[in-house]
């Protein structure tokens, strides 16, 4: 490959150990070596100009690197791919290798997990597997994790930090209050380490490099992040975050759910935390010996800070913790976390805590691959888009067209979309919706990701994506078709009535298609904080039922082939129990997303056991 293109494949970030990631980016100035935040942005400006050709080169690298792997040989074995130029290889690849889903790779991944060291998906042996969160699909999936995965995580964090630093510069040497959690790891039969992708990243060299390079250090030591008990870790994150409160430059988590759950816990824990700060002690609720030792080595008695924090908390309690973040962390410049997609419903609460402090939406990716970076950090979560980083994987886009609801509603189809042929990144069009397909350095070839995105525009030659929803339909009884996003919109409308009444707020929600009785109907579960009269909840229920815009649903409700929507109010703490249940079954808090629709027995049992009241909609009664 010509030298110029080679340097474009990854930012010039030499950290001296040969791994090529050593760039400091604070306030746009150089920190180490030869890479500044301006330079990392410049690198992205260049690769994004040539999105299409960079993608061809990336595909060529992936295939040439893994040409001996069983999966690649199966489809491309008869072709001399080492000699082909990148355009010819792209045409061959997309015409010969089939579009697949994770299930197609499972037999290979299982063999790898069982200890088969032959090159199956990649030339280099895979020694680590990631577990996807499984909270959206209902079951966890194994995905290969390699050094490349950790390096791209470092790259996207570095790039995103560079864009943020242009608008919200932070102080060098400051602290980050990070609500991050490793899951427990385990070994497969073949001796491979399995954990969530975030767990592998927090344990990697790259996580340390990121802190050194950005000169921003997480408040909590590794023992708190990797303790394995999220309640004890949350207590320590909060304690240390407050112990260093004046130094905290920003607050972050992978998904914003973790920040909300931490601050909800704080409302209960603040007295205990202040006592610990006063005496330099650690509550007996933190039991893990390594965690205790690491935290006690950091904190020391600080009665002045404890009294100050106590006074602030007493005032905050009177105003329902409005503005908690800027009051307790006066130097924090912003909150940074994934706030889009299924995280959007938590943004209202975050705004309450943040009182105007900027909310910066974190980037778009999955266990399979990082995808896009937020290049406009000042945009609110509702408007944010992600510019695809064309060096991370080879991306294809399946155009999706909505069924013509008026004409097609009678067709019982597996989902809400009609598909067209996949196209490369260079051919996507603004305004069009697509499903993303990934070919990765970690051994997935033309694998559907299951996310629906919309091209909102372009950053140079690379698309800026709007995350729409998971593709899978979540609510369907007969001819009706509703996605996670449809449900989110409906719940947003229903909960507006609660908000207006100013007596209660929605904490979390999920749903279920009840089809065991005729006619089937939707059940929406709400956990609410505060008191709401039955008449108000009934009105919320009716409002939600009337707000489903899907034509199939409207017709079915009118013809009574779908029964009235049911709103089931569950007791306080129900969704915490659900979280605990997922965590007990191997999920990690850092990647947890409340399933917005469930048929999971464990979850349904919790919901049913915690049901307080049920309402049925009166919409479509006449
Ligand atoms: P995981 O199972 O943890 O790998 O979750 C990956 C999934 O989380 C993606 O496929 C998306 O559905 C969702 N996700 C990741 N990043 C974002 C984002 N920035 N906005 C919305 N959804 C996201």
């Amino acid at each position: 490959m010509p030298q110029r293109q080679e340097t474009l494949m990854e930012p010039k970030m030499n950290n001296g150990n040969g791994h090529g990631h050593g760039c400091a980016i604070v306030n746009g100035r150089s920190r180490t070596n030869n890479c500044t935040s301006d330079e990392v942005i410049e690198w992205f400006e260049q690769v994004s100009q040539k999105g299409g050709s960079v993608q061809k080169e990336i595909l060529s690298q992936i295939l040439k690197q893994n040409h001996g792997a069983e999966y690649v040989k199966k489809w491309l074995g008869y072709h001399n791919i080492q000699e082909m130029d990148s355009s010819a290889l792209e045409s061959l690849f997309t015409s010969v290798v089939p579009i697949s889903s994770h299930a197609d790779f499972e037999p290979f991944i299982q063999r790898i997990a069982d200890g088969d060291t032959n090159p199956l998906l990649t030339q280099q042996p895979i020694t680590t597997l990631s577990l996807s969160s499984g909270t959206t699909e209902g079951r966890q999936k194994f995905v290969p994790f390699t050094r490349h995965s950790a390096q791209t995580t470092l790259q996207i964090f570095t790039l995103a930090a560079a864009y943020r630093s242009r608008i919200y510069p932070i102080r060098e040497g400051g602290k980050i209050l990070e609500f991050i959690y490793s899951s427990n790891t385990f070994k497969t039969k073949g001796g491979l380490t399995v954990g969530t992708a975030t767990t592998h990243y927090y344990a990697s060299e790259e996580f340390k490099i990121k802190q050194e390079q950005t000169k921003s250090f997480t408040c909590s030591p590794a023992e708190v992040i990797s303790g394995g008990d999220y309640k004890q870790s949350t207590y320590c994150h909060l304690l240390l975050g407050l112990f260093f409160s004046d130094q905290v430059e920003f607050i972050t988590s992978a998904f914003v759910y973790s920040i909300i759950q931490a601050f909800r816990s704080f409302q209960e824990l603040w007295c205990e935390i202040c006592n610990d700060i006063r005496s330099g002690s650690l509550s007996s609720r933190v039991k893990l010996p390594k965690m205790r030792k690491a935290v006690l080595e950091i904190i020391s008695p600080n009665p002045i800070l404890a009294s100050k924090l106590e006074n602030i908390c007493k005032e905050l309690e009177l105003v329902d913790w409005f503005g908690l973040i800027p009051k307790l962390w006066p130097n924090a410049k912003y909150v940074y976390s994934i706030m889009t997609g299924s995280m959007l419903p938590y943004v209202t609460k975050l705004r309450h805590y943040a009182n105007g402090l900027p909310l910066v939406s974190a980037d778009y990716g999955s266990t399979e691959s990082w995808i896009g970076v937020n290049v406009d950090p000042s945009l609110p979560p509702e408007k944010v888009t992600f510019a695809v980083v064309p060096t991370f994987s080879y991306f294809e886009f399946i155009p999706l067209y909505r069924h013509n609801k008026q004409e097609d509603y009678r067709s019982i189809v597996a989902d809400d979309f009609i598909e067209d042929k996949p196209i490369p990144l260079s051919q996507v069009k603004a305004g069009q919706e697509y499903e993303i397909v990934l070919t990765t350095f970690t051994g997935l070839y033309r694998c559907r990701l299951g996310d629906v995105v919309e091209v909102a525009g372009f950053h140079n030659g690379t698309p800026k994506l709007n995350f729409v929803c998971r593709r899978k339909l979540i609510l369907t009884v007969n001819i009706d078709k509703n996605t996670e996003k449809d449900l989110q919109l409906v719940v947003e409308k229903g909960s507006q009535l609660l908000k207006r009444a100013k007596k209660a707020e929605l904490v979390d929600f999920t749903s279920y298609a009840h089809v065991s009785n005729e006619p089937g109907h939707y059940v929406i579960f709400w956990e609410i904080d505060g008191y709401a009269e039955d008449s108000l909840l009934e009105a919320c229920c009716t409002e939600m039922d009337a707000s489903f815009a899907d034509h199939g649903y409207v017709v079915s409700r009118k013809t009574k082939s779908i029964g009235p929507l049911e709103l089931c109010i569950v007791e306080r703490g129900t969704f915490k129990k659900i979280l605990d249940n997922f965590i007990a079954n191997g999920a990690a808090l850092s990647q947890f997303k409340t399933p917005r629709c469930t048929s999971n027995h464990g979850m349904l049992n919790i919901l049913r056991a915690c049901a307080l009241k049920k309402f049925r909609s009166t919409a479509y009664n006449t």
Side-chain angles (χ1 to χ4, degrees):
M1 202 192 304
Q3 203 189 345
R4 169 131 189 90
Q5 277 176 323
E6 216 159 51
T7 55
L8 280 183
M9 291 308 141
E10 66 174 50
K12 204 170 33 163
M13 295 197 240
N14 296 313
N15 62 0
N17 63 8
H19 296 311
H21 299 87
C23 175
I25 38 168
V26 176
N27 296 342
R29 296 195 316 277
S30 178
R31 292 291 149 253
T32 61
N33 302 330
N34 52 1
C35 190
T36 63
S37 89
D38 287 341
E39 280 169 351
V40 77
I41 288 176
E42 175 57 26
W43 165 80
F44 185 59
E45 292 301 311
Q46 284 190 39
V47 289
S48 57
Q49 296 277 3
K50 309 174 173 205
S53 57
V54 169
Q55 278 278 276
K56 285 184 211 273
E57 286 304 328
I58 288 295
L59 177 65
S60 181
Q61 275 187 22
I62 294 173
L63 296 177
K64 289 182 179 174
Q65 200 166 300
N66 296 311
H67 72 282
E70 194 174 309
Y71 192 88
V72 181
K73 277 206 285 199
K74 178 176 167 189
W75 300 107
L76 297 170
Y78 295 110
H79 302 271
N80 185 2
I81 61 174
Q82 294 297 355
E83 300 299 316
M84 290 175 104
D85 72 35
S86 56
S87 296
L89 194 46
E90 185 184 44
S91 321
L92 175 70
F93 176 74
T94 53
S95 57
V96 171
V97 178
I99 293 285
S100 50
S101 67
H102 188 269
D104 298 301
F105 296 98
E106 271 170 14
F108 293 91
I109 296 176
Q110 192 55 54
R111 280 167 63 194
I112 294 169
D114 291 345
D116 189 337
T117 51
N118 290 308
L120 300 180
L121 294 172
T122 55
Q123 198 72 35
Q124 292 294 319
I126 287 165
T127 55
T128 311
L129 293 174
S130 292
L131 269 178
S132 72
S133 65
T135 50
T136 45
E137 288 292 333
R139 74 188 176 94
Q140 293 186 289
K141 292 175 296 184
F142 286 129
V143 180
F145 182 95
T146 64
R147 186 77 205 278
H148 181 269
S149 320
Q151 288 178 342
T152 51
T153 305
L154 174 62
Q155 283 180 12
I156 196 155
F157 286 175
T158 313
L159 186 56
Y163 280 103
R164 287 202 309 281
S165 72
R166 285 190 161 180
I167 298 182
Y168 308 116
I170 56 168
R171 190 177 58 83
E172 184 180 303
K175 298 249 182 227
I176 319 170
L177 171 51
E178 289 195 87
F179 292 103
I180 51 178
Y181 307 82
S182 295
S183 63
N184 289 322
T185 55
F186 62 92
K187 295 270 183 199
T188 64
K189 191 170 126 194
L192 280 81
T193 308
V194 182
T196 57
T198 42
T199 302
H200 299 319
Y201 173 66
Y202 301 141
S204 72
E205 225 3 64
E206 280 74 13
F207 181 61
K208 288 185 210 127
I209 295 171
K210 190 210 79 174
Q211 301 193 58
E212 281 151 23
Q213 304 296 332
T214 58
K215 297 272 188 270
S216 300
F217 300 89
T218 183
C219 293
S220 299
E223 292 80 355
V224 170
I225 298 166
S226 63
D229 178 311
Y230 85 89
K231 289 179 190 154
Q232 296 183 47
S233 299
T234 300
Y235 187 91
C236 296
H237 283 321
L238 288 164
L239 172 65
L240 293 166
L242 285 168
F243 185 74
F244 294 115
S245 47
D246 282 347
Q247 298 173 47
V248 168
E249 289 292 307
F250 67 96
I251 294 172
T252 185
S253 67
F255 289 88
V256 75
Y257 175 88
S258 312
I259 296 182
I260 299 299
Q261 85 82 30
F263 290 149
R264 284 196 191 276
S265 305
F266 181 72
Q267 295 178 205
E268 318 277 313
L269 295 170
W270 65 273
C271 281
E272 221 170 308
I273 291 175
C274 290
N275 285 340
D276 279 348
I277 292 177
R278 174 166 294 108
S279 55
S281 56
L282 184 57
S283 159
S284 60
R285 68 171 69 235
V286 180
K287 296 194 167 50
L288 294 162
K290 282 189 190 157
M291 198 187 286
R292 286 193 69 81
K293 183 166 177 285
V295 174
L296 284 167
E297 272 171 12
I298 296 172
I299 58 169
S300 53
N302 192 338
I304 297 174
L305 175 63
S307 302
K308 186 177 125 192
L309 294 171
E310 247 165 19
N311 288 337
I312 296 174
C313 287
K314 282 179 192 154
E315 282 170 24
L316 284 169
E317 219 174 17
L318 298 176
V319 291
D320 189 24
W321 302 92
F322 179 76
L324 171 156
I325 300 174
K327 283 272 188 224
L328 292 174
W329 290 279
N331 295 316
K333 313 291 184 297
Y334 53 84
V335 181
Y336 173 58
S337 189
I338 293 177
M339 304 174 189
T340 34
S342 65
M343 294 295 127
L344 211 49
Y346 306 113
V347 169
T348 310
K349 189 68 178 174
L350 185 63
R351 289 202 164 107
H352 179 84
Y353 287 137
N355 185 18
L357 197 70
L359 306 184
V360 182
S361 289
D363 311 288
Y364 175 35
S366 66
T367 305
E368 289 82 351
S369 170
W370 279 105
I371 299 165
V373 60
N374 176 0
V375 293
D376 307 300
S378 59
L379 288 180
E382 291 81 358
K383 298 220 169 111
V384 81
T385 59
F386 306 101
V388 176
V389 182
T391 56
F392 285 168
S393 288
Y394 177 70
F395 301 99
E396 289 174 85
F397 297 82
I398 300 178
L400 300 175
Y401 301 94
R402 305 256 167 189
H403 285 267
N404 180 337
K405 307 238 171 189
Q406 301 299 322
E407 287 162 16
D408 289 357
Y409 70 87
R410 278 186 193 83
S411 61
I412 299 185
V413 291
D415 70 32
D416 204 16
F417 301 100
I418 298 167
E419 291 186 356
D420 208 339
K421 281 215 301 267
I423 53 171
L425 175 141
S426 56
Q427 288 175 24
V428 298
K429 297 204 166 45
Q432 173 64 45
E433 287 185 336
Y434 300 93
E435 177 178 354
I436 297 185
V437 175
L438 298 169
T439 298
T440 69
F441 281 93
T442 56
L444 303 176
Y445 302 90
R446 308 197 87 193
C447 182
R448 288 171 185 268
L449 180 61
D451 284 350
V452 180
V453 295
E454 184 193 5
V455 173
F458 291 87
H459 181 81
N460 303 319
T462 200
K464 287 210 274 188
L465 308 177
N466 208 327
F467 180 86
V468 178
C469 60
R470 295 289 300 167
R471 169 141 186 204
K472 221 177 93 191
L473 283 180
I474 62 163
L475 276 173
T476 175
V477 168
N478 46 48
I479 57 167
D480 50 314
K481 304 172 187 79
N482 284 296
T483 63
E484 182 180 281
K485 185 163 193 188
D486 298 321
L487 175 71
Q488 240 163 259
L489 289 171
V490 159
V491 169
E492 171 65 23
K493 285 209 174 142
S495 63
Q496 284 294 338
L497 300 186
L498 269 193
K499 221 184 277 169
R500 264 182 247 137
K502 290 190 175 159
K503 287 183 184 159
E505 62 166 332
L506 183 62
V507 173
D508 220 331
F509 66 93
T510 188
S511 68
Y512 167 63
H514 193 298
V515 287
S516 52
N517 291 344
E518 286 280 334
H521 70 279
Y522 296 176
V523 184
I524 297 182
F525 297 90
W526 274 13
E527 178 178 325
I528 58 173
D529 186 12
Y531 174 77
E533 293 97 11
D534 288 359
S535 55
L536 175 59
L537 292 170
E538 202 175 289
C540 294
C541 177
T542 301
E543 175 76 13
M544 288 195 286
D545 199 12
S547 301
F548 276 103
D550 168 57
H551 196 65
Y553 185 76
V554 173
V555 169
S556 301
R557 285 288 293 116
K558 283 185 181 160
T559 56
K560 309 222 180 316
S561 58
I562 293 183
L565 182 128
E566 178 180 330
L567 171 62
C568 178
I569 306 295
V570 293
E571 63 193 37
R572 279 306 312 275
T574 303
F575 280 83
K576 196 109 185 260
K577 286 186 189 160
I578 290 170
L579 169 68
D580 288 344
N581 185 269
F582 271 97
I583 290 198
N585 287 301
L589 179 57
S590 272
Q591 281 170 247
F592 181 77
K593 305 158 199 81
T594 300
R596 293 302 180 206
C597 180
T598 188
S599 51
N600 173 308
H601 289 299
M603 184 164 165
L604 281 173
N605 286 343
I606 297 173
L607 289 163
R608 286 181 188 132
C610 295
L612 291 176
K613 289 177 179 177
K614 291 177 181 173
F615 302 90
R616 290 303 284 265
S617 151
T618 53
Y620 303 101
N621 269 6
T622 47

